[in-house]
Amino acid sequence: MSTSLNAAQRAAIRHLDGPCLVIAGAGSGKTRVITQKIVHLVESGHDPAAIGAITFTNKAAREMAERLRPLLRGLAPGREPTVSTFHSLGVRILRRDGTRIGLKRAFSILDAEDAANIVQTSLGTTDRKAARATLHRISLWKNALLEPDGAAAVAASEADRQAVRAYRDYAATLVAYQAVDFDDLIRLPVRLLREHEDVAQAWREMLRYLLIDEYQDTNACQYELLRLLAGPRAAFTAVGDDDQSIYGWRGASLENLQRLGADYPSLAVIKLEQNYRSSTTILAAANHLIGHNPKLHDKRLWSELGVGDPIAVVLCEDDEAEAESIVMRLQALRFERRLTWADFAILYRGNHQARVFEQMLRKEKIPYVLSGGQSFFERSEIRDLISYLRLLVNDEDDPALIRAITTPKRGVGTATLAALGTYAGERHLSMFAALFETGLAARLGARQLEGLRTFGAFINRIAYRAGREPAAQVLADLVSGIEYREHLFASHDDKVAAGKWTNATDFIAWLERRAEEDGSNLLQLAQTVTLLAQIDAQRSDGDTVRLSTIHAAKGLEFPHVFVAGCEEGLLPHHGGLGEAKEGEADPAAALAVARDDALRTAHIEEERRLMYVAVTRAQRSLTLTWCRTRRRGKEKLGREPSRFLAEMQLAARPAAAATITGAAARDRLGALRDLLSAKTDVP
């Protein structure tokens, strides 16, 4: 075991006798503790192949696996510890044992777009936003382990009751398609392990020791999966930080920390409070801030890294002045300290704040990467076209078939696809192969069958040509044949449709150029198209300023951090909760007010944790900005400083002369630009 570990880290690593909860403060080396504990388990005689480390993101899983590789040299192939996300583990469980609950081994996994399409059809609406909102409700119910009947019992509004009806249709459709969504990848393993004790025991033997990263982000469903896998032996270590729980809106529950202590009375709790990231000045502000939240396990971060730079609070006249001020300060700091662009991050509460920073960074020719935004390849119009290419490459890709055959709509409805999915499941075939089988005629009417087979014949013709003819011509005929442009303008208003068609034609042109440069046909090109999202993500590498939502920055750290928009209504975001209201004599009204007050308090506590996450991303310097006015549409609205500034014991209102106006920021930028130009030739 490394001698550089502190006493709390060593205690967390060495504790193998029963369940363990490690409360790991920001920057306290939790990933190192997890990896070193895995090494200690192996050195203590545990079978490495029976150790499972569970993370929340593929990125975290990859990084942990990379850290472990040099520490566990010499293991036989296939005997390495399992390092995976919750969802990847769920897939493994269902692929191996899902037949016990009626799933075929080759079940399909629907992505969010495919799932939204089904819900939208169930709702009978063209309102994509409404479909996504309903799907979010369904996701929360699934994460809370509520089936449609259970959701109906807690539905409190007409919108909830409508969502329950959509949930019933959606669940029935997934069963018919022999498909699952991402929430099912955890919910169904829970059902499987609950209903089949022999399967649960087999998995407990395969994963005899569990380590769970970011435990504070678990929802009720994930907690139940962990409890079932741990079993009576309860050999696990959960690592998390209640002060960094910022995903309540998607079902994460801090109650899981309380449940852990209640369900496992022998639970050992070890706190990691030494921070290896930030200066004492930054940590003091963070501790003051989070001290306003109630604590289940009290802790106070400390550091030996010195005082560091004072925290700057900057009042700007408006959002344009804010962007100019931040970019000016960033450039000056980089020049003065000979830093790289990658040393800087600009964080904000919502994606809509990024636009003005992008414009200013482009104007100053500063390279940047945007986190938390939408990739070009995730746009619905691009995914529509990609579904056809996926089907050309692999006709067993059921989700691609479902999306392609229904986009554009061609008279093939949910009932027809449900019958096809059921038949394919019984015959253990892909849906594409099943639509050509003679036996399908007994399940469908002649008109339904004709629609399916017309589509199948079209795909086969394009697939035949795709391997033999120039890609550009085949691609043009594919897009023309499905009448995709007409579909866009029939489904959206002209402005939205035109934008989507421009994106589609840009994508088509890119594919044509790629085919010409590589000398490849459309079939060869389609074989690589599913990697496009990964290629897009890899563009983030290099010396660039990071623009990011605070949520997307969690787990990252930067020497110099700017947090923009530290204002009431933005950070904390009001989240539609509004202001507190006076109670009334009516007991029902008083109860509603009490409930609203409780929701409001919980919301502000989560927003405070979000600010805490933002502050603790900084290593050396931290700058917090807010605006006197902020643009919303054509209006400029007055703003007030965030209550969190006062909670950090920071002065939010400098002297009036210190307020940054747009003109002042532009003058400073111009002076800085001249200075940098003058210094270019200095050795």
Side-chain angles (χ1 to χ4, degrees):
M1 187 180 299
S2 173
T3 56
S4 62
L5 295 164
N6 64 44
Q9 290 173 331
R10 285 195 295 272
I13 290 167
R14 288 172 175 164
H15 183 88
L16 304 181
D17 185 18
C20 180
L21 172 62
V22 179
I23 303 294
S28 63
K30 69 177 179 63
T31 304
R32 187 181 185 199
V33 166
I34 293 172
T35 54
Q36 289 290 337
K37 185 153 193 173
I38 291 173
V39 173
H40 183 57
L41 283 162
V42 173
E43 291 174 346
S44 301
H46 283 71
D47 179 0
I51 299 171
I54 304 174
T55 68
F56 272 80
T57 66
N58 287 317
K59 180 175 180 287
R62 284 195 303 271
E63 289 176 354
M64 192 174 293
E66 287 169 4
R67 288 200 191 193
L68 277 172
R69 198 168 294 118
L71 300 175
L72 294 174
R73 287 194 180 95
L75 293 180
R79 304 305 299 168
E80 303 89 354
T82 294
V83 182
S84 75
T85 64
F86 274 97
H87 293 92
S88 296
L89 178 60
V91 170
R92 281 185 59 195
I93 293 172
L94 292 178
R95 293 287 187 210
R96 182 182 183 274
D97 296 304
T99 53
R100 299 286 292 275
I101 55 172
L103 272 181
K104 66 178 183 182
R105 292 195 189 280
F107 63 83
S108 301
I109 303 172
L110 298 187
D111 61 21
E113 284 292 320
D114 295 326
N117 287 340
I118 296 172
V119 171
Q120 187 172 344
T121 301
S122 177
L123 291 172
T125 180
T126 58
D127 187 344
R128 193 69 170 175
K129 188 175 180 180
R132 291 186 188 280
T134 299
L135 188 61
H136 180 65
R137 273 194 179 92
I138 293 171
S139 176
L140 291 177
W141 284 328
K142 286 190 173 188
N143 288 335
L145 290 171
L146 289 175
E147 300 291 337
D149 287 346
V154 300
S157 65
E158 180 53 38
D160 280 347
R161 287 186 282 275
Q162 185 182 33
V164 168
R165 292 191 288 272
Y167 186 9
R168 292 189 194 281
D169 291 344
Y170 177 63
T173 300
L174 290 187
V175 171
Y177 286 176
Q178 280 285 297
V180 301
D181 63 18
F182 285 111
D183 297 318
D184 290 331
L185 294 178
I186 302 170
R187 184 184 68 88
L188 290 179
V190 167
R191 178 187 153 197
L192 173 66
L193 299 184
R194 278 178 170 177
E195 295 178 2
H196 300 278
E197 178 58 28
D198 60 322
V199 175
Q201 187 56 37
W203 278 97
R204 288 169 194 152
E205 289 302 314
M206 282 187 280
L207 296 172
R208 293 183 60 83
Y209 199 97
L210 294 170
L211 301 101
I212 306 96
D213 192 15
E214 303 287 8
Y215 177 76
Q216 77 280 347
D217 293 334
T218 55
N219 57 41
C221 193
Q222 289 161 335
Y223 179 82
E224 185 63 10
L225 179 61
L226 295 172
R227 194 184 67 79
L228 289 165
L229 286 172
R233 188 167 56 244
F236 67 81
T237 294
V239 181
D241 181 9
D242 50 340
D243 291 335
Q244 296 186 73
S245 177
I246 59 174
Y247 293 110
W249 51 274
R250 70 181 188 194
S253 175
L254 271 176
E255 291 178 4
N256 286 349
L257 281 167
Q258 295 172 306
R259 287 186 63 189
L260 204 61
D263 289 348
Y264 300 96
S266 64
L267 181 74
V269 179
I270 299 169
K271 291 184 281 189
L272 306 183
E273 298 175 287
Q274 183 174 357
N275 176 283
Y276 293 93
R277 174 187 298 159
S278 306
S279 69
T280 58
T281 299
I282 291 169
L283 291 184
N287 285 330
H288 288 314
L289 172 70
I290 207 63
H292 288 77
N293 272 4
K295 298 284 187 178
L296 183 62
H297 299 285
D298 195 25
K299 70 176 185 304
R300 189 170 184 84
L301 296 182
W302 59 277
S303 169
E304 295 179 341
L305 297 179
V307 175
D309 295 351
I311 297 172
V313 178
V314 181
L315 169 58
C316 303
E317 190 61 38
D318 55 29
D319 41 356
E320 290 187 1
E322 180 181 50
E324 289 171 328
S325 174
I326 286 177
V327 171
M328 180 271 295
R329 288 167 179 269
L330 187 155
Q331 286 180 295
L333 198 56
R334 177 176 179 269
F335 173 70
E336 291 167 4
R337 302 191 185 183
R338 301 182 183 276
L339 305 173
T340 66
W341 296 121
D343 288 327
F344 298 93
I346 303 172
L347 309 182
Y348 37 79
R349 177 64 174 81
N351 277 313
H352 66 280
Q353 293 171 258
R355 178 188 59 82
V356 66
F357 291 108
E358 288 196 80
Q359 291 172 342
M360 184 54 57
L361 290 168
R362 285 175 182 269
K363 180 180 177 183
E364 293 299 309
K365 297 182 175 58
I366 296 174
Y368 69 90
V369 61
L370 184 69
S371 298
Q374 185 185 40
S375 163
F376 178 73
F377 296 104
E378 290 298 313
R379 298 178 187 273
S380 61
E381 57 272 23
I382 307 304
R383 293 173 68 87
D384 288 343
L385 297 177
I386 286 176
S387 69
Y388 284 87
L389 300 181
R390 284 167 51 190
L391 198 55
L392 293 179
V393 172
N394 176 18
D395 61 16
E396 293 189 359
D397 190 337
D398 290 348
L401 178 138
I402 292 167
R403 186 175 190 126
I405 205 169
T406 56
T407 313
K409 295 188 183 301
R410 46 176 54 82
V412 177
T414 302
T416 302
L417 286 174
L420 175 62
T422 300
Y423 179 80
E426 292 170 358
R427 296 279 295 147
H428 304 290
L429 298 169
S430 70
M431 293 174 74
F432 189 83
L435 67 84
F436 293 106
E437 287 224 333
T438 305
L440 185 62
R443 307 288 184 92
L444 295 171
R447 188 174 177 181
Q448 293 172 300
L449 195 62
E450 181 184 3
L452 289 174
R453 289 183 173 167
T454 298
F455 172 80
F458 171 74
I459 293 297
N460 280 337
R461 288 196 301 274
I462 292 293
Y464 178 83
R465 294 178 57 198
R468 294 167 174 80
E469 300 178 19
Q473 186 58 56
V474 181
L475 191 56
D477 291 346
L478 168 62
V479 176
S480 173
I482 64 175
E483 299 181 340
Y484 191 67
R485 184 180 185 280
E486 293 79 355
H487 157 72
L488 290 176
F489 280 89
S491 306
H492 307 278
D493 63 53
D494 286 353
K495 184 177 179 181
V496 173
K500 288 179 174 292
W501 179 242
T502 297
N503 290 335
T505 53
D506 286 347
F507 178 61
I508 293 164
W510 183 87
L511 288 173
E512 290 174 348
R513 288 195 303 273
R514 180 83 176 261
E516 185 176 351
E517 291 168 2
D518 297 348
S520 57
N521 58 43
L522 184 59
L523 194 59
Q524 293 166 330
L525 195 60
Q527 288 170 345
T528 64
V529 83
T530 55
L531 301 176
L532 293 179
Q534 295 176 32
I535 293 170
D536 193 48
Q538 289 168 2
R539 292 174 183 166
S540 64
D541 294 339
D543 186 16
T544 56
V545 173
R546 177 70 65 104
L547 278 181
S548 177
T549 62
I550 301 171
H551 282 98
K554 186 170 178 288
L556 303 178
E557 58 185 44
F558 307 91
H560 306 280
V561 170
F562 297 85
V563 183
C566 299
E567 301 150 20
E568 288 295 306
L570 195 54
L571 186 60
H573 194 273
H574 282 160
L577 291 177
E579 296 302 320
K581 299 176 182 178
E582 292 297 324
E584 300 177 23
D586 178 10
L591 184 63
V593 169
R595 184 192 65 231
D596 289 347
D597 285 346
L599 288 172
R600 190 175 294 107
T601 298
H603 174 76
I604 290 298
E605 287 173 2
E606 178 152 324
E607 290 291 300
R608 186 176 286 114
R609 292 193 294 270
L610 192 63
M611 175 64 101
Y612 177 82
V613 166
V615 168
T616 54
R617 298 312 92 196
Q619 296 172 314
R620 300 172 200 160
S621 79
L622 174 66
T623 302
L624 308 170
T625 64
W626 69 280
C627 297
R628 196 186 301 280
T629 63
R630 190 171 289 275
R631 190 180 302 278
R632 181 183 292 173
K634 294 182 179 179
E635 291 184 279
K636 276 198 170 184
L637 304 178
R639 314 297 294 184
E640 290 296 323
S642 169
R643 70 191 74 182
F644 300 150
L645 297 176
E647 291 177 0
M648 286 187 278
Q649 301 183 5
L650 300 172
R653 295 180 183 273
T659 301
I660 303 296
T661 64
R666 282 189 289 275
D667 289 344
R668 292 185 188 183
L669 266 176
L672 178 62
R673 204 179 294 117
D674 293 341
L675 176 63
L676 292 176
S677 297
K679 294 288 186 180
T680 300
D681 297 325
V682 176

